[in-house]
Amino acid sequence: MADFWTEIYNFAQSTTTRIGTKLLADYGQLQPDFKADGSLVTQADKWADAEIQNAISDLFPSHDVLTEEGSHIFSGAEWCWVIDPIDGTTNFTRGIPIWGISLGLLYQGMPIFGYVHFPNINQSFHGYWYGDSQSNKSNGAFLNNIPIQTSKDAPSKSHFFNMCARSTAILQNPIPCKLRMLGVTTYDFLSVANGAALAGVETTPKVWDLAGIWPIVQAAGGVFVTLGETAPFPLQEGEDYGDRSYPTLVVSRPELIPTFKPLVEFLGKK
């Protein structure tokens, strides 16, 4: 099993590095198109998506793949990769350097390994969070292979709270931190994992926004709080996740849930 996880890590590291190198050449150079949901997509998203799928098929032919730009239906496979080829496409097209490539590996529908690479800022996060995987490997979260953990600080105006553009309704509430809007779901929540922010909220993340960071955030000590009626994981066989959003709050430790949840929980109500 140890060799398996070494192979998984090496695959994620080498594949995202290779894809990221090519994407850097296209960064800020491509005109985007609009998808049906109003989000942006470029030829680079589509190319990266296909390249990652092909790489998975070559090395892990028994693994299924669920991806933002391809199949949205979970087959129920024991092992499944969930891909976001470019998280932060708007930043990517507009020349803003925070955007990344996100890979999540699911076992029986639950994310247990995640790898997210941000080529422009030279940051790569990965982590392991085991449920029923029957592995003897320890949980862990890392930034550029250095262990990370969430902050133990109390909220203050010298600490950060991250939010997405669709979460601006929270501005009517007295958030006890400085607000930041980074434009990338994965980076919003990973900055909680590495202690840079105390919490963050995203109103419309999809499973491919969350799968890669799910293990990393929890292994670092963070907590996911589902604001809607249904949690994103475990994925259910035969379900189409293309149009499902999962309003989510992440906090650096359980003790801060009562502080932040009342300020944002209305974002998950229809």
Side-chain angles (χ1 to χ4, degrees):
M1 182 62 79
D3 289 341
F4 171 76
W5 287 114
T6 299
E7 185 178 33
I8 291 292
Y9 170 82
N10 288 341
F11 167 78
Q13 190 275 332
S14 62
T15 301
T16 57
T17 298
R18 176 174 63 85
I19 300 297
T21 299
K22 171 62 168 64
L23 292 178
L24 283 171
D26 294 329
Y27 165 60
Q29 304 298 315
L30 301 179
Q31 290 299 314
D33 297 316
F34 286 95
K35 294 192 287 189
D37 63 0
S39 61
L40 299 182
V41 64
T42 69
Q43 289 302 313
D45 293 82
K46 298 175 183 178
W47 172 84
D49 186 87
E51 286 289 314
I52 297 169
Q53 289 196 63
N54 290 337
I56 292 171
S57 179
D58 289 343
L59 194 57
F60 306 108
S62 65
H63 292 192
D64 195 16
V65 180
L66 188 152
T67 166
E68 179 176 12
E69 307 304 338
S71 175
H72 299 157
I73 298 175
F74 178 52
S75 70
E78 184 174 48
W79 295 97
C80 179
W81 292 85
V82 181
I83 302 168
D84 192 345
I86 303 180
D87 185 29
T89 298
T90 302
N91 284 4
F92 176 81
T93 61
R94 307 303 184 200
I96 297 173
I98 303 177
W99 49 272
I101 306 159
S102 178
L103 306 180
L105 180 60
L106 279 58
Y107 177 79
Q108 297 184 345
M110 287 297 298
I112 61 173
F113 170 80
Y115 195 101
V116 189
H117 175 51
F118 299 92
N120 241 24
I121 58 176
N122 196 30
Q123 291 187 352
S124 297
F125 294 80
H126 78 279
Y128 309 85
W129 182 254
Y130 300 98
D132 298 325
S133 62
Q134 300 179 353
S135 171
N136 294 323
K137 190 173 179 66
S138 300
N139 298 324
F142 307 87
L143 168 56
N144 293 345
N145 290 314
I146 298 173
I148 57 173
Q149 62 181 14
T150 58
S151 173
K152 306 303 181 185
D153 292 350
S156 77
K157 288 300 182 180
S158 65
H159 292 87
F160 294 144
F161 180 96
N162 295 333
M163 56 183 284
C164 65
R166 297 179 181 89
S167 301
T168 54
I170 69 171
L171 297 176
Q172 63 187 302
N173 292 318
I175 305 297
C177 297
K178 289 184 177 180
L179 296 174
R180 289 292 181 269
M181 191 180 299
L182 304 176
V184 184
T185 300
T186 51
Y187 204 78
D188 275 352
F189 289 159
L190 288 172
S191 64
V192 178
N194 74 0
L198 292 185
V201 68
E202 292 280 337
T203 303
T204 58
K206 304 290 182 64
V207 293
W208 41 81
D209 296 310
L210 299 172
I213 62 174
W214 193 266
I216 304 170
V217 169
Q218 293 183 95
V223 181
F224 284 88
V225 181
T226 299
L227 302 178
E229 297 179 356
T230 307
F233 305 107
L235 299 188
Q236 302 299 312
E237 182 176 357
E239 294 295 319
D240 187 336
Y241 289 91
D243 60 355
R244 301 187 185 188
S245 296
Y246 297 92
T248 300
L249 168 72
V250 165
V251 295
S252 59
R253 50 196 172 91
E255 293 82 358
L256 292 185
I257 294 176
T259 298
F260 290 107
K261 186 179 179 183
L263 305 178
V264 302
E265 59 187 348
F266 67 93
L267 294 174
K269 296 179 179 178
K270 296 180 179 179

